[in-house]
Amino acid sequence: METLRRSQYDIAVIQQVKPDAKLLRHIRNSRVPTPIMIIARDITPAGVAEVLSVGADDCVPASVDPVELLARLRAIIRRASGHDSLTLQIGRLTVNVDRREAYIDGKPVPLTKREYDIVELLALRKGQVLSKEAMLDNLYAGQSEPHGKVIDVMICQIRKKMRSMGIEEPFTTLWGIGCRLNEDAFIPLGARMNGIDGSVHPAARESSIPVTAGIKMVPSGGLDML
């Protein structure tokens, strides 16, 4: 419970012999909003119905195919982030999760694999500020993490590429806290000139702190993994 409260997990995966609503009730009664998937060895329709009714986001058998499992996890995370399709649209920015490509005004942004991961994660977590540690955790979960400066370098590279496509400040940094996607930077030019955004935000100081696009899970054993 303390791990779920302190960390910014995308989803918690609980492995059980049978779907058991007791732990789930405890988590939900503690007002922990993290999406939860139950993986159980012995599943019955009644057991699935019970855990879904008390707050599970999905319940699947232990025999579930890995491809299906990953698709279900990604779908839960997208819905929890307010997205209902494989295409994330934020103004001039389009992120195609299925093809792992990002576009500005319909033109592909030439991103490396890790750079794309950062853009996808920031898009999924739009409006949220992620710490540098959380970004590293998401990007390299289950692997040996490089020095934090690698995040700075990748954010700088993404920023440079987006600036060349007309996006001046794609990221906003809150010093000592973390980084988020600057949604105002992606407002369509026509809408900006017509004042449709309706507000003017002071320019935020920016640095290179990125986010991740992997799926971060905490099984009941408490270990992070992709």
Side-chain angles (χ1 to χ4, degrees):
M1 288 298 302
E2 286 306 310
T3 300
L4 285 175
R5 286 194 187 99
R6 288 195 309 266
S7 304
Q8 293 178 312
Y9 288 103
D10 295 299
I11 189 167
V13 177
I14 300 174
Q15 292 181 290
Q16 299 178 321
V17 175
K18 296 180 179 180
D20 182 356
K22 184 177 179 181
L23 174 59
L24 197 55
R25 281 198 185 93
H26 179 54
I27 293 173
R28 292 310 186 214
N29 289 339
S30 301
R31 301 188 181 281
V32 174
T34 307
I36 293 174
M37 173 185 277
I38 304 290
I39 297 180
R41 189 179 66 197
D42 301 325
I43 279 187
T44 63
V48 172
E50 184 181 17
V51 292
L52 292 177
S53 70
V54 297
D57 294 88
D58 202 356
C59 180
V60 297
S63 59
V64 63
D65 183 87
V67 173
E68 179 185 344
L69 176 61
L70 185 58
R72 286 177 176 272
L73 290 168
R74 288 188 178 278
I76 292 171
I77 291 168
R78 283 199 311 275
R79 290 196 298 269
S81 304
H83 302 284
D84 57 5
S85 76
L86 289 172
T87 300
L88 315 179
Q89 190 71 50
I90 302 171
R92 299 168 63 191
L93 172 66
T94 303
V95 179
N96 188 309
V97 175
D98 193 33
R99 299 177 62 179
R100 294 181 53 80
E101 294 175 345
Y103 304 84
I104 301 292
D105 299 329
K107 298 177 181 177
V109 185
L111 301 171
T112 65
K113 176 184 178 297
R114 291 293 191 195
E115 289 169 358
Y116 168 81
D117 286 344
I118 289 173
V119 172
E120 183 187 304
L121 180 61
L122 284 168
L124 283 170
R125 296 285 192 86
K126 65 176 183 176
Q128 297 182 40
V129 178
L130 294 183
S131 69
K132 197 176 206 176
E133 292 71 25
M135 298 173 198
L136 272 173
D137 246 6
N138 273 280
L139 208 57
Y140 294 96
Q143 304 174 37
S144 166
E145 292 183 4
H147 191 275
K149 284 292 182 183
V150 72
I151 297 293
D152 298 339
V153 171
M154 283 191 284
I155 280 287
C156 286
Q157 289 299 319
I158 297 168
R159 187 170 51 200
K160 185 184 300 183
K161 291 173 182 180
M162 288 193 173
R163 281 178 173 168
S164 72
M165 302 178 77
I167 305 297
E168 288 303 316
E169 300 294 342
F171 308 116
T172 296
T173 295
L174 302 180
W175 292 99
I177 302 176
C179 174
R180 65 174 172 80
L181 193 73
N182 179 15
E183 294 180 60
D184 288 351
F186 298 95
I187 294 173
L189 296 177
R192 187 185 298 275
M193 292 191 323
N194 291 330
I196 291 178
D197 54 322
S199 61
V200 178
H201 302 281
R205 294 179 64 194
E206 179 185 291
S207 121
S208 342
I209 305 181
V211 197
T212 4
I215 291 178
K216 188 177 176 188
M217 306 180 287
V218 52
S220 42
L223 298 177
D224 295 347
M225 64 180 178
L226 273 180

